[in-house]
Amino acid sequence: MPGAYLSPYASCARCAFDKTFPSCEWHCVDFLRKKIELETRRTSQRSSSSRSRHGGNVVPPPGYLKLLRELADELGALLICDEMITGFGRTGKMFAIEHEIVLPDVLTVGRGSAAASHERCDRA
């Protein structure tokens, strides 16, 4: 998709940079910062899932979402968190972002909020 820029997710168990947390000193966030600087002229948003859903639920290291919030603020970008898989108590909190007390600019949720997974109750 034109205008979309991808970067590796913060999966410490399978680090794309072959680093070890916390000695990596947030290499993944620095990589993202440099990638945005090199590949874009103006950044409008940064989207992140609170937990990666491709290849399983991957919990980022503590502090990762806070650093993404700081990076978005530094760049004047929106932080968009997708809670379709992790929202509505699935991680022990109402939303996964609450584990780090991060306030995104946009929070997305999926069909679970419309009770699409519940059985119909209009039977006679």
Side-chain angles (χ1 to χ4, degrees):
M1 172 192 290
Y5 301 92
L6 304 175
S7 65
Y9 192 73
S11 174
C12 295
R14 294 183 178 100
C15 179
F17 305 104
D18 201 27
K19 304 281 185 183
T20 304
F21 184 78
S23 63
C24 64
E25 298 180 349
W26 298 105
H27 184 84
C28 53
V29 177
D30 290 334
F31 174 83
L32 178 60
R33 177 182 284 110
K34 289 175 187 168
K35 183 175 179 74
I36 290 171
E37 289 172 0
L38 290 172
E39 295 183 8
T40 66
R41 283 180 268 153
R42 182 173 175 263
T43 303
S44 61
Q45 68 183 34
R46 165 64 181 141
S47 178
S48 176
S49 178
S50 304
R51 306 283 195 268
S52 176
R53 63 186 176 272
H54 301 289
N57 288 330
V58 178
V59 179
Y64 179 70
L65 290 177
K66 285 184 179 183
L67 286 175
L68 287 185
R69 171 77 272 171
E70 291 172 13
L71 179 60
D73 290 343
E74 176 186 319
L75 298 171
L78 297 176
L79 178 64
I80 303 171
C81 290
D82 177 7
E83 293 272 3
M84 188 165 98
I85 301 295
T86 57
F88 301 102
R90 293 181 184 111
T91 65
K93 301 258 186 189
M94 186 62 173
F95 295 104
I97 57 167
E98 293 179 275
H99 291 281
E100 289 203 40
I101 312 169
V102 170
L103 183 62
D105 297 299
V106 177
L107 180 74
T108 62
V109 294
R111 63 190 289 180
S113 64
S117 61
H118 295 283
E119 192 174 324
R120 288 183 55 177
C121 298
D122 60 352
R123 294 187 208 144

